[in-house]
Amino acid sequence: MAIFNRYFTVLFRLKTKWISILLIIQTVASFAMSFFNFNNGHVYINRTIFSNFFTLWLTIFVVSAWLFTGIFYLTTCFQNERVSKSQTWRLVPIDDKKLYFDNILSSFGALLFFVILEIICTLILGVVTFTFDSQFHTVIIEMFTDIGRHLQQVDLEIMFNFFGAIMMAILCAFFGYFIISFLNYSSRALLDFLPQALSKAYFRVIAVFVIILVAWLAIKANDIGLQIISFPFRFMMGETTGTNDDLALALILMLVINLLFWFLDTILFSKFFEAREGK
């Protein structure tokens, strides 16, 4: 367990070292978009926003948070695969299955840390806006008054929906990590079984073709299974009724799908996926 925690810490630091740069870029970019107008290649000072400058800055910062969170998530996905194919990491004194889980868990921990920092930055900017913008001040007070009244009507169904939505977001984040690793490991495993004389480009074409063929056969072989597996995704797209039972079923199925891909990834990673020296 001590070795697991040590490598988790190292991987977590590796994946969070760019967080400060991303936050600085987000803050500066949202400030510039609030303070300046960009028109026909020219930059103008937005003189109409001084009365509600901080509110506009806060709004743009919150909207851009979704974009930067997505960018950071994709960055951790890329780092996952870099660690997996690194000969240095595969030589560390830890079981391959534990290394894989350490890699995925550290990525999620880094993503959670980034989200927490986004919330903290938003709260700080919100306090500044609350202090200097009288209109925003009034709106926030009225909003919290309404929230206080509605909290008295909160029941178990609302709480279940709230925490269920959080759990769905967490499971979706893990699903993204698992499916990307699965595509990477399975394609590499297929390539390793092909004749070495073929070119790398030919390798990739055949691997993609085989993966598509296997996926097509699986879909044709079991339409009922496909409907079951796709339920959580159809639920997130609003194609189901959206009841509590639907949410509970979606969470259970998403958990099962994650466990399935985790199991497949650990087998592929430890048995069929070999790290290669980077060139």
Side-chain angles (χ1 to χ4, degrees):
M1 191 63 181
I3 296 178
F4 182 90
N5 292 337
R6 185 200 316 168
Y7 289 120
F8 174 87
T9 302
V10 174
L11 287 169
F12 179 82
R13 290 175 178 174
L14 173 67
K15 295 169 183 178
T16 56
K17 65 180 182 179
W18 305 112
I19 281 183
S20 58
I21 296 177
L22 278 178
L23 289 175
I24 291 173
I25 293 174
Q26 180 185 353
T27 304
V28 173
S30 59
F31 175 86
M33 294 175 66
S34 305
F35 194 76
F36 298 103
N37 277 335
F38 304 89
N39 188 16
N40 296 326
H42 298 283
V43 180
Y44 305 94
I45 295 179
N46 190 353
R47 301 181 183 277
T48 64
I49 53 86
F50 286 107
S51 59
N52 61 347
F53 169 75
F54 287 106
T55 301
L56 183 60
W57 187 9
L58 175 63
T59 302
I60 296 176
F61 184 88
V62 171
V63 172
S64 63
W66 294 94
L67 172 63
F68 281 87
T69 301
I71 292 174
F72 184 77
Y73 178 78
L74 294 176
T75 301
T76 57
C77 291
F78 175 74
Q79 290 174 321
N80 279 345
E81 306 316 307
R82 286 194 62 183
V83 170
S84 297
K85 68 180 182 180
S86 169
Q87 287 185 334
T88 302
W89 277 104
R90 293 299 292 271
L91 293 175
V92 297
I94 187 174
D95 182 73
D96 282 344
K97 295 179 181 179
K98 292 182 180 179
L99 175 61
Y100 172 75
F101 186 60
D102 228 345
N103 193 16
I104 297 295
L105 195 60
S106 62
S107 291
F108 178 76
L111 178 65
L112 183 61
F113 181 61
F114 183 80
V115 171
I116 292 173
L117 290 180
E118 285 280 2
I119 294 174
I120 293 174
C121 292
T122 300
L123 290 176
I124 293 174
L125 189 54
V127 170
V128 174
T129 306
F130 183 83
T131 303
F132 291 100
D133 192 323
S134 58
Q135 184 177 359
F136 181 81
H137 183 103
T138 303
V139 170
I140 291 298
I141 292 178
E142 293 176 354
M143 184 183 70
F144 275 100
T145 302
D146 291 338
I147 292 176
R149 288 197 298 265
H150 286 92
L151 282 177
Q152 300 175 1
Q153 304 173 1
V154 172
D155 55 15
L156 292 178
E157 180 179 353
I158 296 176
M159 295 298 294
F160 176 78
N161 289 334
F162 176 75
F163 288 106
I166 295 177
M167 287 301 302
M168 180 61 75
I170 293 174
L171 291 174
C172 287
F174 276 108
F175 175 78
Y177 292 135
F178 291 146
I179 195 66
I180 291 174
S181 293
F182 175 77
L183 294 175
N184 182 27
Y185 300 161
S186 59
S187 61
R188 274 284 300 276
L190 288 172
L191 292 177
D192 290 339
F193 281 104
L194 295 174
Q196 294 296 319
L198 296 176
S199 66
K200 291 184 178 180
Y202 197 27
F203 277 1
R204 294 188 179 95
V205 171
I206 294 178
V208 171
F209 175 77
V210 172
I211 291 173
I212 294 175
L213 178 62
V214 171
W216 182 81
L217 290 174
I219 291 173
K220 289 298 182 181
N222 196 348
D223 289 336
I224 297 177
L226 177 64
Q227 289 294 320
I228 295 174
I229 293 174
S230 66
F231 180 85
F233 307 103
R234 290 186 287 113
F235 175 83
M236 288 182 288
M237 296 297 293
E239 298 178 7
T240 64
T241 57
T243 64
N244 279 348
D245 292 339
D246 286 334
L247 177 58
L249 181 58
L251 287 171
I252 293 173
L253 290 176
M254 182 59 83
L255 178 61
V256 172
I257 292 171
N258 278 340
L259 292 175
L260 173 63
F261 276 102
W262 178 21
F263 175 73
L264 294 174
D265 286 345
T266 53
I267 292 178
L268 288 171
F269 183 67
S270 59
K271 302 295 184 182
F272 302 103
F273 186 83
E274 295 183 3
R276 295 175 180 175
E277 183 179 359
K279 296 182 180 179

